[in-house]
Amino acid sequence: MNRKLLITAPMHYSQRLLKAFERYKDRVDVLHIPMVESTFDNTGEQMRELRDNLDKYDFVIPLSRKAIESMHFHWHNRKELGSARFLAIGKDNDRMRELMGIEPPFVSTEPSPMGIAKELERRDMARGKRMAVVGPAFKGMEEPRTVPDFLDELERLGAKTKRFGAYLNMPTELRLRKKAYELIKNKDLTGIAFTSGSEVVAFSDGLKEVYGKDAHHLLGELTLCYLGPYTAKQANLIGLKTDIVSTCFNSFDDFTAYLAENEKRGWLTDKTCRT
């Protein structure tokens, strides 16, 4: 009997994650119920401000594919991107090249915002630099710590930062999230895979709203899996257990392969991080 895994990724990238699980379809049934939805609404003013002032910044750092797509959406008629250099995360650089023809000065080894900060520090490229950080704004939920921690680290390195909301993250309607909670209550799942701190926060908020403040106890028999240490860190901050934390997180193929490694946890065998 196949194990049942819930993924909570937003619609805009869930298809890539589902495709990554295809290699294991003979062993795991993947269900998708998004915890977060995103929109470009109400972010145009900030993106236009950045577009019109690019020359004020030494680096522009989009923190997700969605941020890159927002730049493309709002700047598609702009041919000249000024003197700023652009730094994206991991394979998001491929999307930046594809949509905007931008070549980053480097790609950090660790595919995370903190990975970019570490590489800037190693190269002594942060102190005194002006940096535009392009990422999500939030509505109806507490912001995960990923972006604030990154901004704090850049400031520690001596950079001058300004944040721009490229898109708006908000929880999906509670009636949709309730479908996931009913599966948990009925013991119809083996595990849950989270790919971002936003998913973790929205999932936990809804679970507590439906079943009360101590609702995390309902997750005791489930295996909770996290894409990378920063997603897991957010889970720890709000009191969720962390059973499997992928140390390979450059892509969704990495994540699914890492889950496959954890046979003893009830998952699927492969110990290689893909590049």
Side-chain angles (χ1 to χ4, degrees), residues 81-243:
L81 293 175
S83 59
R85 291 172 287 180
F86 290 72
L87 297 171
I89 297 171
K91 290 187 177 297
D92 290 354
N93 285 281
D94 294 338
R95 187 63 169 160
M96 189 166 68
R97 293 183 186 101
E98 175 190 354
L99 286 182
M100 306 184 71
I102 294 172
E103 186 64 34
F106 64 82
V107 177
S108 60
T109 302
E110 180 186 300
S112 70
M114 285 301 187
I116 291 177
K118 291 172 185 176
E119 189 66 19
L120 285 166
E121 182 176 27
R122 189 183 74 81
R123 293 169 178 258
D124 194 24
M125 295 173 70
R127 185 162 302 280
K129 297 296 191 296
R130 302 157 300 175
M131 300 189 183
V133 176
V134 187
F138 292 87
K139 179 180 179 182
M141 61 185 291
E142 182 179 348
E143 179 177 10
R145 286 300 311 170
T146 305
V147 178
D149 286 350
F150 177 55
L151 291 169
D152 288 348
E153 182 63 10
L154 292 179
E155 294 283 347
R156 185 189 72 81
L157 295 176
K160 299 177 181 178
T161 64
K162 184 169 182 180
R163 180 174 179 173
F164 292 87
Y167 56 99
L168 189 63
N169 270 351
M170 64 194 81
T172 53
E173 291 185 23
L174 187 59
R175 63 174 180 81
L176 181 60
R177 285 177 285 156
K178 276 184 177 179
K179 294 179 181 179
Y181 307 145
E182 288 168 4
L183 291 171
I184 294 167
K185 186 77 170 178
N186 295 332
K187 301 184 184 302
D188 288 333
L189 293 173
T190 308
I192 307 174
F194 298 103
T195 63
S196 72
S198 297
E199 297 164 43
V200 170
V201 170
F203 170 85
S204 177
D205 285 351
L207 186 67
K208 289 180 178 179
E209 185 172 346
V210 174
Y211 291 117
K213 292 183 179 180
D214 63 345
H216 286 179
H217 80 273
L218 295 170
L219 308 173
E221 295 183 13
L222 293 175
T223 301
L224 301 189
C225 314
Y226 301 87
L227 177 62
Y230 304 105
T231 304
K233 179 181 178 180
Q234 184 61 43
N236 285 326
L237 285 172
I238 61 175
L240 283 178
K241 63 175 184 162
T242 52
D243 296 312

